[in-house]
């Protein structure tokens, strides 16, 4: 599937909703991300919505008002995006084109017909966001070679990168039940900890509590058990992305992870930003897959596709911000710890998807594929504290004098993401926030 | 919760359904396992049912006829067991007592009232079985110390058992989407393989295709995110067990599993026997947890409970049978490869559950906890071919002269399970079958 841009991407176009036209707004006319929301005095079951400026277009209401294509009207009245995800890329494009038309200053209705659209708008400040997809299965990858090399260096200084890394998009199964939406506080977990110099483990609150900065990609139609998803089909199978915080209890992880991988170190909570930005919206920010050094092996044929190589990468900037309890009390704003870019990943999301289904494993609409921690080559682009503080040996120093080896109770971790380049309208992924609560 | 036996366990009691009284029948009056079924000319949505002899009591029909307790009638009319699992141990006992009464020769209705029960009976041969639970999350453990030691010996002869093994019930997340019911053929997967002496991996059909003999335990009410499940609550949280075949592509596994654990080597299919035998039915076969050598560490307090130590074990015999294409053609019966007992496991199912939730990970009704391969101390109690043939170095020799290092296309793997002891009525787990299809 070739990459095409159309009028929905036209950087010159504006919305008749003024807040969408503010420079650096996350949700201009060119974005149109999907979420699920409730309002205090409104519907109790979530409605799907599209973020536009500081408003939400209620898709349930818009479908009821006959404003949306008949082919997707039913899917737009569901409480989650799963039916829309299942409907496939043609339906996604049709709905996006219609939303862009409805909300465009140059194309939207005027007069009384516009008031029918306005009646479907809800201020974001009045909305409570929910998980936009019902995720049956969540898998998490390890696709940043910088992250894998850094973590490997701490465990195996002589041999940081395992022999399979440059051949396999390494992944494992995560926990779907503990996915939570941004804003949900996350409690410091208990678990077994064994300091290297202690003879025996103890059970107690995690001491080395960490975040991991990731993108989460949502699967569209999926595949039947026993079938594969060719890499060339990835654009028809990937719906959109959210920011994902793969909260990690490093001390639990160190002690438990051999030989079957992380388990309780990860499955107490995974946070997702509420707005799913579609791959179609991200089309202007597609980029070539990472250029591998000539000394690296070429991927096996099932992980090679011309289009994926040409624009399977994503130019998305990802930032980690921290707001400590002390900063909050002092009325200070959050401090940016790091800033990286998804274009540093060794494997594309399409390669992760094709690998996942290469053995016939069935993926379903709403399934979530975490990218793994997005870390770049420099310290200020490392996507977790384990790397940033090099296992606590080089603490993070905050402007107010506080230090962090790992997260403290009362810390709020805020991920932000956006895509920008000359000639395209900047679009944002919004935020993924989580406040660390003390252990129970 | 103390272990109690009641009239539903009375070995002397018989059913008025004759086939339930045959010696060694899997499904006597004392068993009453739950499943979900359809019939060729009947309902298209599965009905829940209870196996009794060679019949199924249709719970949907029985509830409609007013034969079941009002408190669970709605749950019995669902297409899966999830609502009943959520209803809790009191409801489980109430339903079991009523079913035992209805179907008992000494207690069941006679005359016209009996014909109302008979109208709810379906011959098992007319039924197609389905997965009885909708499993949101599936986790798989590694609780046989014999299995862990054998596998470790192959990888690390000097240090077979990792230091965490005797402290942590090691587990990882499996794939819920590819759970299939017994009888579903399983296709040999493709994947990356790298022979030890080859410089590079290739992508192709798995060569070392294996089964893993496990019990799968289904979770009842579960816990909210952030809460724990004390080990003492395990009996109120564990609904029942099925046989589970954790099909494994050993060559994929060897190459992919570091550092995040098994992924594509496992997630192409996991088979479950159709009948879920309740822990209440298994009460006569509860046994003390494995007596640990004095040199082994005592479990940490959250993994210790007096009742679990006294009867957290399960005396259940588990067998692996193999029927090759050649045997099938010759009209021969299946050959038993191995026979083990669940009472050799290092960790109890209750300990696995309590550990799983010890960090606040939320479990839901229908969640599945695989025990890990059940292997005993002797060769003929090893629960997978990897161990039985010691990585192919000592092949399995079949009576007809065939040999197996790993599974061949056309092989059918059949697990059988049953519990028996003096003074109790033997109860069976039925079968978990899977035919290996050639790679696509």
């Amino acid at each position: 599937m070739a990459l095409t841009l159309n009028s929905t991407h036209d950087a010159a176009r504006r919305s008749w909703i003024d807040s969408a036209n503010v420079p650096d707004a996350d949700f201009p006319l060119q974005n149109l991300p999907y979420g699920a929301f409730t309002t205090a005095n409104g519907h109790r079951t979530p409605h799907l919505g599209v973020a536009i400026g500081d408003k939400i277009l209620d898709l349930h209401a818009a479908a009821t008002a006959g404003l949306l294509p008949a082919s997707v009207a039913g899917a737009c009245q569901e409480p989650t995006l799963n039916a829309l995800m299942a409907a496939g890329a043609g339906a996604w494009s049709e709905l996006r084109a219609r939303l862009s038309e409805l909300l465009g200053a140059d194309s939207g209705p005027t007069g009384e017909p516009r008031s029918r659209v306005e009646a479907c708008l809800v201020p974001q400040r009045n909305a409570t966001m929910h998980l936009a997809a019902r995720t049956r299965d969540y898998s998490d990858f390890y696709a940043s070679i910088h992250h894998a090399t850094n973590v490997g260096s701490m465990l195996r200084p002589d041999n940081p990168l395992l022999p399979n890394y440059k051949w396999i998009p390494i992944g494992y199964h995560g926990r779907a039940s503990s996915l939570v939406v941004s804003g949900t506080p996350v409690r410091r977990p208990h678990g077994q900890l064994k300091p290297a110099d202690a003879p025996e483990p103890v059970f107690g609150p995690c001491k080395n509590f960490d975040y991991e900065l990731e993108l989460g990609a949502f699967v569209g139609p999926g595949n039947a058990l026993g079938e594969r998803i060719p890499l060339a089909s990835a654009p028809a199978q990937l719906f959109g992305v959210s920011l994902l915080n793969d909260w990690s209890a490093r001390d639990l992880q160190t002690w438990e992870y051999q030989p079957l991988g992380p388990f309780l170190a990860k499955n107490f909570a995974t946070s997702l930003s509420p707005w799913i930005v579609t791959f179609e919206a991200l089309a202007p920010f597609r980029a070539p897959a990472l250029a591998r050094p000539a000394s690296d092996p070429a991927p096996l044929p099932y992980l090679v596709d011309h289009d994926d190589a040409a624009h399977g990468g994503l130019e998305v900037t990802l930032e980690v911000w921290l707001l400590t309890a002390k900063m909050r009390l002092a009325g200070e704003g959050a401090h940016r710890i790091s800033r990286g870019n998804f274009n540093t990943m060794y494997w594309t999301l399409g390669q992760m998807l094709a690998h996942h289904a290469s053995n016939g494993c069935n993926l379903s609409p709403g399934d979530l594929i975490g990218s793994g921690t997005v870390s770049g080559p420099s310290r200020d682009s490392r996507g977790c504290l384990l790397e940033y503080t090099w296992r606590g040996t080089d603490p993070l120093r905050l402007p107010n004098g506080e230090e962090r080896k790992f997260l403290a109770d009362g810390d709020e971790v805020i991920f932000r993401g956006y895509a920008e380049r000359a000639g395209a309208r900047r679009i944002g992924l919004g935020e993924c926030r989580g406040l660390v609560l003390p252990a129970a």
Side-chain angles (χ1 to χ4, degrees), chain A:
Chain A
M1 186 184 292
L3 189 71
T4 53
L5 299 186
N6 56 41
S7 67
T8 70
H9 302 103
D10 182 349
R13 292 185 63 226
R14 297 166 63 84
S15 175
W16 49 265
I17 297 170
D18 290 337
S19 59
N21 305 320
V22 174
D24 293 351
D26 272 346
F27 309 124
L29 182 65
Q30 290 76 7
N31 194 345
L32 304 174
Y34 297 101
F37 71 101
T38 49
T39 52
N41 300 313
H43 45 91
R44 297 179 66 88
T45 301
H47 281 191
L48 296 176
V50 168
I52 179 78
D54 61 2
K55 304 255 187 313
I56 299 171
L57 180 74
D58 181 333
L59 287 179
H60 191 289
T64 304
L67 295 169
L68 302 182
S71 59
V72 292
C76 289
Q77 293 179 303
E78 295 285 323
T80 66
L81 286 165
N82 291 60
L84 183 63
M85 289 164 163
W92 307 339
S93 287
E94 188 182 2
L95 179 57
R96 175 176 167 85
R98 176 59 177 157
L99 292 169
S100 181
E101 180 192 1
L102 275 179
L103 298 169
D106 56 348
S107 54
T110 54
E112 189 277 330
R114 175 174 297 180
S115 69
R116 291 172 56 217
V117 183
E118 285 171 328
C120 302
L121 294 174
V122 176
Q124 284 178 31
R125 65 175 180 279
N126 292 354
T128 299
M129 301 304 297
H130 302 267
L131 290 178
R134 193 176 58 252
T135 295
R136 178 166 184 187
D137 284 283
Y138 156 45
S139 305
D140 198 25
F141 282 80
Y142 193 57
S144 161
I145 195 166
H146 303 290
H147 173 67
T149 304
N150 285 338
V151 173
S153 297
M154 297 176 206
L155 301 175
R156 299 172 301 275
D158 300 337
N159 181 27
L161 209 60
L162 290 168
N164 56 14
Y165 190 85
K166 292 180 178 176
W167 295 97
I168 297 181
I170 294 288
Y172 71 111
H173 296 121
R175 181 85 189 173
S177 72
S178 52
L179 293 168
V180 297
V181 73
S182 170
T184 307
V186 173
R187 196 167 285 288
R188 178 183 299 270
H190 279 68
Q192 285 198 30
L193 327 169
K194 187 185 164 297
D197 55 353
E200 297 188 350
V202 296
F203 183 81
C206 162
K207 291 188 169 71
N208 299 346
F209 195 46
D210 203 356
Y211 57 81
E212 286 194 343
L213 171 68
E214 304 194 14
L215 276 189
F218 288 90
V219 174
N223 60 314
L225 186 61
E227 293 183 2
R228 294 185 218 159
I229 298 177
L231 180 52
S233 299
Q237 285 285 357
L238 290 171
F239 179 80
V241 295
S242 287
L243 299 164
L244 184 153
N245 188 341
D246 179 25
W247 302 95
S248 297
R250 298 299 184 192
D251 33 10
L252 277 67
Q253 187 176 355
T254 305
W255 175 231
E256 78 168 358
Y257 90 102
Q258 284 184 314
L260 299 184
F263 187 46
L264 301 194
K266 302 278 194 172
N267 66 12
F268 56 91
T270 304
S271 298
L272 284 164
S273 61
W275 295 107
I276 300 181
V277 175
T278 64
F279 281 95
E280 194 171 358
L282 290 166
F285 310 99
R286 299 310 297 243
L290 189 76
R292 299 180 172 209
S295 57
D296 281 8
L300 291 172
Y302 78 103
L303 296 173
V304 176
D305 173 71
H306 178 269
D307 286 336
D308 192 69
H311 38 250
L314 264 183
E315 293 275 356
V316 172
T317 301
L318 298 168
E319 298 177 345
V320 180
W321 297 68
L322 183 66
L323 183 68
T324 70
K326 191 173 168 188
M327 291 159 70
R328 197 179 305 114
L329 208 60
E332 295 167 11
H335 170 74
R336 193 183 70 222
I337 302 176
S338 68
R339 175 189 282 167
N341 197 297
F342 200 74
N343 68 4
T344 57
M345 302 299 271
Y346 196 77
W347 298 101
T348 67
L349 288 165
Q351 287 172 318
M352 298 180 221
L353 178 80
H355 179 67
H356 202 325
S358 66
N359 67 343
C361 177
N362 52 331
L363 287 92
S364 315
D367 277 2
L368 178 62
I369 292 179
S371 64
T373 306
V374 182
S375 288
S378 60
R379 187 188 193 202
D380 65 0
S381 60
R382 292 181 188 154
C384 62
L385 285 176
L386 177 73
E387 288 173 83
Y388 190 92
T389 72
W390 211 258
R391 259 204 296 200
T393 57
D394 185 6
L396 162 70
R397 289 176 179 80
L398 294 165
N400 69 355
E402 289 187 282
E403 288 195 356
R404 289 287 182 276
K405 295 178 176 175
F406 289 96
L407 294 171
D409 295 341
D411 283 354
E412 187 171 26
V413 179
I414 305 152
F415 293 170
R416 293 178 182 147
Y418 51 90
E420 57 186 9
R421 70 160 179 78
R425 185 64 158 90
R426 175 193 186 280
I427 66 176
L429 273 65
E431 290 185 341
C432 182
R433 305 178 77 103
L435 176 69
V436 178
L437 298 182

